């Protein structure tokens, strides 16, 4: 079974993020969910992003890096939207990474150097999500998939950003069920 570090999105460590982690745990995986916002959650994406700006995106990312350093190194790094920043940085720069799962976001690989050999990755997003499709994340995901041997990009119909968080109005149950099956299949291949 895999050991996963799952980083939350800009609205904080919501019940939906905790629920997703619980789903992975039910399948037998160990899942750590660090709180990068020190207990704060936000009703809207805008309010959450304002908090991240005020706190400093670098500070939020550093909290994620520090949380992972308290764990072993044979980890799968996963992130929802804002949480992709520390997840991708760790997957690309921390020795021993076993895999990466990026939900609703993807940064250009060059942001953190090169993609490490032998580290599989999945990227999941909605094809009509303006934050994913129109702000460069989809392009970065396509470039990643085109340059890494074991990389997959999954696009879901719709335009919601945080569609896999069951505690938010943007939740899409059908898309999330498919995403979860794909993630569990991915984790089952991790050794």
């Amino acid at each position: 079974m895999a050991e996963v570090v799952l980083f939350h999105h800009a609205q904080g460590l919501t019940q939906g993020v905790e629920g997703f982690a619980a789903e992975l745990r039910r399948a037998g995986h160990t899942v750590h969910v660090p709180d990068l916002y020190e207990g704060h959650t936000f009703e809207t994406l805008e309010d959450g992003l304002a908090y991240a700006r005020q706190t400093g995106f670098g500070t939020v990312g550093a909290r994620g890096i520090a949380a992972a350093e308290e764990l072993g190194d044979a980890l799968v790094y996963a992130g929802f939207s804002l949480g992709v920043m520390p997840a991708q940085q760790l997957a690309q720069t921390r020795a021993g990474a076993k895999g990466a799962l990026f939900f609703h976001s993807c940064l250009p690989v060059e942001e953190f150097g090169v993609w490490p050999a032998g580290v599989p990755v999945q990227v999941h997003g909605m094809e009509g999500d303006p934050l994913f499709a129109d702000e460069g994340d989809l392009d970065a995901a396509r470039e990643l998939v085109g340059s890494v041997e074991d990389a997959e990009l999954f696009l879901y119909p719709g335009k919601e950003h945080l569609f896999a968080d069951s505690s938010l109005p943007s939740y899409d149950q059908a898309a999330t069920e498919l995403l979860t099956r794909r993630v569990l299949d991915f984790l089952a291949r991790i050794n």
Side-chain angles (χ1 to χ4, degrees):
M1 291 294 156
E3 186 171 3
V4 180
V5 181
L6 176 64
F7 297 106
H8 63 75
H9 51 70
Q11 287 179 246
L13 184 52
T14 62
Q15 289 181 353
V17 173
E18 290 278 19
F20 185 81
E23 187 75 21
L24 301 183
R25 288 183 188 115
R26 278 191 289 280
H29 303 289
T30 300
V31 184
H32 308 276
V33 191
D35 187 348
L36 308 180
Y37 276 15
E38 300 179 326
H40 300 283
T41 57
F42 299 91
E43 290 295 316
T44 68
L45 185 58
E46 294 75 21
D47 289 345
L49 287 171
Y51 173 81
R53 276 191 289 278
Q54 176 186 358
T55 303
F57 287 104
T59 298
V60 172
R63 289 174 183 168
I65 303 303
E69 288 185 3
E70 295 177 8
L71 305 170
D73 58 358
L75 302 168
V76 174
Y77 299 102
F80 280 81
S81 192
L82 176 76
V84 169
M85 289 189 318
Q88 188 166 342
Q89 181 176 351
L90 287 161
Q92 286 189 238
T93 63
R94 190 163 188 234
K98 291 295 204 174
L101 294 161
F102 303 151
F103 310 116
H104 323 297
S105 185
C106 184
L107 300 167
V109 171
E110 306 79 50
E111 189 79 23
F112 305 112
V114 298
W115 193 263
V119 177
V121 58
Q122 282 187 347
V123 183
H124 300 263
M126 282 201 161
E127 59 193 2
D129 168 12
L131 296 175
F132 181 73
D134 299 340
E135 293 191 9
D137 296 77
L138 179 54
D139 293 335
R142 286 183 171 140
E143 184 176 320
L144 175 63
V145 169
S147 64
V148 172
E149 184 176 328
D150 193 358
E152 299 172 289
L153 169 61
F154 296 106
L155 294 175
Y156 302 84
K159 58 181 176 51
E160 299 298 337
H161 184 55
L162 299 174
F163 70 89
D165 183 325
S166 62
S167 65
L168 299 179
S170 55
Y171 177 62
D172 183 310
Q173 182 177 351
T176 301
E177 287 174 357
L178 181 54
L179 177 149
T180 303
R181 281 197 303 274
R182 289 169 167 165
V183 166
L184 291 173
D185 288 346
F186 176 88
L187 293 175
R189 297 190 311 258
I190 301 295
N191 50 26

